[in-house]
mmCIF file of all heavy atoms in Angstrom:
data_model
loop_
_atom_site.group_PDB
_atom_site.id
_atom_site.type_symbol
_atom_site.label_atom_id
_atom_site.label_comp_id
_atom_site.label_asym_id
_atom_site.label_seq_id
_atom_site.Cartn_x
_atom_site.Cartn_y
_atom_site.Cartn_z
ATOM 1 N N ALA A 1482 114.831 -40.943 126.762
ATOM 2 C CA ALA A 1482 115.887 -41.603 126.115
ATOM 3 C C ALA A 1482 117.252 -41.498 126.664
ATOM 4 O O ALA A 1482 117.941 -42.509 126.910
ATOM 5 C CB ALA A 1482 115.837 -41.150 124.571
ATOM 6 N N LEU A 1483 117.538 -40.183 127.168
ATOM 7 C CA LEU A 1483 118.889 -40.037 127.590
ATOM 8 C C LEU A 1483 119.002 -40.723 129.050
ATOM 9 O O LEU A 1483 120.061 -41.412 129.373
ATOM 10 C CB LEU A 1483 119.152 -38.539 127.942
ATOM 11 C CG LEU A 1483 119.185 -37.617 126.583
ATOM 12 C CD1 LEU A 1483 119.171 -36.183 127.114
ATOM 13 C CD2 LEU A 1483 120.346 -37.946 125.914
ATOM 14 N N MET A 1484 117.849 -40.713 129.902
ATOM 15 C CA MET A 1484 117.951 -41.425 131.072
ATOM 16 C C MET A 1484 118.104 -42.999 130.840
ATOM 17 O O MET A 1484 118.782 -43.589 131.706
ATOM 18 C CB MET A 1484 116.744 -41.160 131.973
ATOM 19 C CG MET A 1484 116.745 -41.878 133.259
ATOM 20 S SD MET A 1484 118.085 -41.344 134.345
ATOM 21 C CE MET A 1484 117.470 -39.962 135.187
ATOM 22 N N THR A 1485 117.334 -43.541 129.855
ATOM 23 C CA THR A 1485 117.387 -44.878 129.515
ATOM 24 C C THR A 1485 118.983 -45.364 129.213
ATOM 25 O O THR A 1485 119.353 -46.335 129.729
ATOM 26 C CB THR A 1485 116.440 -45.269 128.357
ATOM 27 O OG1 THR A 1485 115.254 -44.889 128.711
ATOM 28 C CG2 THR A 1485 116.490 -46.785 128.234
ATOM 29 N N VAL A 1486 119.647 -44.598 128.381
ATOM 30 C CA VAL A 1486 121.020 -44.866 128.015
ATOM 31 C C VAL A 1486 121.882 -44.868 129.280
ATOM 32 O O VAL A 1486 122.704 -45.842 129.525
ATOM 33 C CB VAL A 1486 121.426 -43.832 126.927
ATOM 34 C CG1 VAL A 1486 122.904 -44.065 126.794
ATOM 35 C CG2 VAL A 1486 120.749 -44.031 125.617
ATOM 36 N N ILE A 1487 121.780 -43.830 129.987
ATOM 37 C CA ILE A 1487 122.723 -43.609 131.196
ATOM 38 C C ILE A 1487 122.582 -44.786 132.166
ATOM 39 O O ILE A 1487 123.392 -45.356 132.701
ATOM 40 C CB ILE A 1487 122.524 -42.273 131.772
ATOM 41 C CG1 ILE A 1487 122.968 -41.185 130.871
ATOM 42 C CG2 ILE A 1487 123.317 -42.264 133.149
ATOM 43 C CD1 ILE A 1487 122.492 -39.878 131.238
ATOM 44 N N GLN A 1488 121.239 -45.169 132.439
ATOM 45 C CA GLN A 1488 120.931 -46.288 133.284
ATOM 46 C C GLN A 1488 121.353 -47.534 132.755
ATOM 47 O O GLN A 1488 122.044 -48.335 133.507
ATOM 48 C CB GLN A 1488 119.524 -46.317 133.680
ATOM 49 C CG GLN A 1488 118.991 -45.122 134.550
ATOM 50 C CD GLN A 1488 119.605 -45.170 135.933
ATOM 51 O OE1 GLN A 1488 119.613 -46.250 136.578
ATOM 52 N NE2 GLN A 1488 120.076 -44.070 136.375
ATOM 53 N N LEU A 1489 121.179 -47.779 131.510
ATOM 54 C CA LEU A 1489 121.652 -48.983 130.946
ATOM 55 C C LEU A 1489 123.202 -49.222 131.088
ATOM 56 O O LEU A 1489 123.729 -50.228 131.435
ATOM 57 C CB LEU A 1489 121.294 -49.064 129.384
ATOM 58 C CG LEU A 1489 119.822 -49.425 129.062
ATOM 59 C CD1 LEU A 1489 119.566 -49.184 127.613
ATOM 60 C CD2 LEU A 1489 119.472 -50.879 129.493
ATOM 61 N N GLN A 1490 123.938 -48.060 130.673
ATOM 62 C CA GLN A 1490 125.347 -48.103 130.845
ATOM 63 C C GLN A 1490 125.798 -48.304 132.156
ATOM 64 O O GLN A 1490 126.850 -49.241 132.562
ATOM 65 C CB GLN A 1490 125.878 -46.760 130.349
ATOM 66 C CG GLN A 1490 125.837 -46.464 128.861
ATOM 67 C CD GLN A 1490 126.251 -45.134 128.494
ATOM 68 O OE1 GLN A 1490 126.450 -44.892 127.298
ATOM 69 N NE2 GLN A 1490 126.397 -44.228 129.465
ATOM 70 N N SER A 1491 125.145 -47.842 133.158
ATOM 71 C CA SER A 1491 125.414 -47.850 134.613
ATOM 72 C C SER A 1491 125.334 -49.482 135.117
ATOM 73 O O SER A 1491 125.844 -49.817 136.079
ATOM 74 C CB SER A 1491 124.707 -46.985 135.576
ATOM 75 O OG SER A 1491 123.430 -47.353 135.679
ATOM 76 N N LEU A 1492 124.361 -50.135 134.425
ATOM 77 C CA LEU A 1492 124.101 -51.542 134.783
ATOM 78 C C LEU A 1492 124.868 -52.485 133.866
ATOM 79 O O LEU A 1492 124.461 -53.608 133.882
ATOM 80 C CB LEU A 1492 122.488 -51.576 134.591
ATOM 81 C CG LEU A 1492 121.709 -50.946 135.552
ATOM 82 C CD1 LEU A 1492 120.274 -50.927 135.214
ATOM 83 C CD2 LEU A 1492 121.866 -51.387 136.996
ATOM 84 N N GLY A 1493 125.725 -52.017 133.080
ATOM 85 C CA GLY A 1493 126.776 -52.811 132.366
ATOM 86 C C GLY A 1493 126.226 -53.151 130.952
ATOM 87 O O GLY A 1493 126.999 -54.049 130.332
ATOM 88 N N ILE A 1494 125.235 -52.519 130.440
ATOM 89 C CA ILE A 1494 124.781 -52.682 129.096
ATOM 90 C C ILE A 1494 125.464 -51.660 128.259
ATOM 91 O O ILE A 1494 125.168 -50.506 128.249
ATOM 92 C CB ILE A 1494 123.301 -52.656 128.960
ATOM 93 C CG1 ILE A 1494 122.712 -53.613 129.882
ATOM 94 C CG2 ILE A 1494 122.892 -53.003 127.416
ATOM 95 C CD1 ILE A 1494 122.943 -55.109 129.726
ATOM 96 N N LYS A 1495 126.315 -51.980 127.306
ATOM 97 C CA LYS A 1495 127.239 -51.083 126.510
ATOM 98 C C LYS A 1495 126.807 -51.106 125.125
ATOM 99 O O LYS A 1495 127.019 -50.097 124.374
ATOM 100 C CB LYS A 1495 128.639 -51.387 126.687
ATOM 101 C CG LYS A 1495 129.161 -51.585 128.134
ATOM 102 C CD LYS A 1495 129.213 -50.376 128.832
ATOM 103 C CE LYS A 1495 129.730 -50.490 130.197
ATOM 104 N NZ LYS A 1495 129.759 -49.192 131.010
ATOM 105 N N ASN A 1496 126.240 -52.181 124.566
ATOM 106 C CA ASN A 1496 126.003 -52.326 123.188
ATOM 107 C C ASN A 1496 124.605 -51.708 122.829
ATOM 108 O O ASN A 1496 123.697 -52.325 122.632
ATOM 109 C CB ASN A 1496 126.057 -53.721 122.868
ATOM 110 C CG ASN A 1496 126.010 -54.096 121.391
ATOM 111 O OD1 ASN A 1496 126.261 -53.119 120.571
ATOM 112 N ND2 ASN A 1496 125.593 -55.227 120.947
#
Side-chain angles (χ1 to χ4, degrees):
L1483 293 172
M1484 181 62 85
T1485 304
V1486 170
I1487 293 166
Q1488 289 295 312
L1489 284 169
Q1490 290 176 165
S1491 71
L1492 296 169
I1494 308 298
K1495 308 292 185 184
N1496 190 19

